[in-house]
Amino acid sequence: MPRKTLGKYIFDLGNNQWDIPDLHVLLNDILIQNDPLKDFEVRHDFQDIGRKIMLLNARKIDHVSASGQAILLAFEDITDRRRSEEELLTMTLTDPLTNLYNRRGLFALGEKLIANSRREESGFFLLFIDLNNLKTINDRFGHEKGDLALIDTARALGHNFRSSDIIARIGGDEFVVVPAGTAGDTPSG
């Protein structure tokens, strides 16, 4: 609350939980260089409130009493907003049934993989997996059993490939695996 913080040292607030070394450096830079700080994210594990992401805006106040220099600070807790943004990003890149990357996730990672491959003049492997007879499972036993077949396939792929490999479900019964650190026979071009 402003009444409780006005005129206090930030490092003394909240049982000294704001005594963050990086914050000391930032605030000293503001005092010395007189450059305002805008929308700087501070990530910190607080003893009482846990991990928080705070948006910091700060500027030096020129007209201060003889008692010392002052900085006007504004903190905004953006932890929930960042968490929501990360969840939305995960939802857009992940298949909700299998928890593998979806087509969009594969393409996003694939663009970086292709750029890296071109830069290093190396290739990479892409494995395409198409389940046979998934329609038959769905027709005979229902979509719930078909979903279980997809989940079991995703689980098997996860157990048989490394966590660094890219595994994606790109269609109804189609999967792609890009093993990390493998090189193709010819450079991509």
Side-chain angles (χ1 to χ4, degrees):
M1 299 299 295
R3 287 186 308 268
K4 295 179 182 178
T5 60
L6 202 59
K8 308 262 176 152
Y9 292 108
I10 188 167
F11 308 113
D12 296 333
L13 298 175
N15 299 326
N16 295 321
Q17 291 188 75
W18 284 95
D19 195 6
I20 305 167
D22 288 345
L23 191 56
H24 280 274
V25 172
L26 286 171
L27 297 180
N28 280 331
D29 285 349
I30 291 170
L31 287 172
I32 293 168
Q33 298 172 9
N34 201 19
D35 288 334
L37 189 64
K38 293 185 179 183
D39 297 334
F40 184 81
E41 284 190 20
V42 176
R43 295 167 185 258
H44 188 66
D45 292 313
F46 294 94
Q47 294 171 355
D48 295 345
I49 57 176
R51 181 157 184 76
K52 292 290 180 181
I53 303 171
M54 309 296 281
L55 193 63
L56 167 66
N57 286 284
R59 78 173 332 122
K60 180 179 175 182
I61 300 174
D62 290 327
H63 305 324
V64 180
S65 66
S67 63
Q69 296 177 312
I71 295 176
L72 176 63
L73 293 172
F75 281 95
E76 178 184 358
D77 183 352
I78 60 169
T79 307
D80 291 337
R81 182 173 78 194
R82 283 290 181 258
R83 188 175 298 126
S84 294
E85 289 170 354
E86 289 170 9
E87 287 172 7
L88 285 172
L89 181 62
T90 297
M91 288 171 48
T92 63
L93 301 176
T94 306
D95 174 51
L97 180 65
T98 62
N99 290 321
L100 298 176
Y101 288 109
N102 60 18
R103 178 184 298 265
R104 181 179 286 135
L106 175 66
F107 287 172
L109 292 171
E111 286 178 12
K112 292 180 182 192
L113 184 65
I114 290 169
N116 187 50
S117 178
R118 285 183 178 148
R119 185 179 67 246
E120 294 182 7
E121 296 182 352
S122 65
F124 58 90
F125 288 102
L126 184 134
L127 307 171
F128 182 78
I129 300 145
D130 187 0
L131 297 183
N132 289 327
N133 302 318
L134 182 65
K135 183 176 178 350
T136 304
I137 294 171
N138 284 334
D139 291 346
R140 285 186 76 190
F141 304 106
H143 288 278
E144 204 171 278
K145 294 292 184 190
D147 287 351
L148 288 175
L150 293 168
I151 292 167
D152 287 344
T153 301
R155 192 174 295 126
L157 291 171
H159 287 304
N160 287 291
F161 289 94
R162 300 163 295 183
S163 61
S164 58
D165 297 334
I166 300 170
I167 306 172
R169 177 178 172 218
I170 61 166
D173 63 351
E174 298 169 340
F175 295 83
V176 168
V177 178
V178 182
T182 58
D185 293 334
T186 58
S188 62

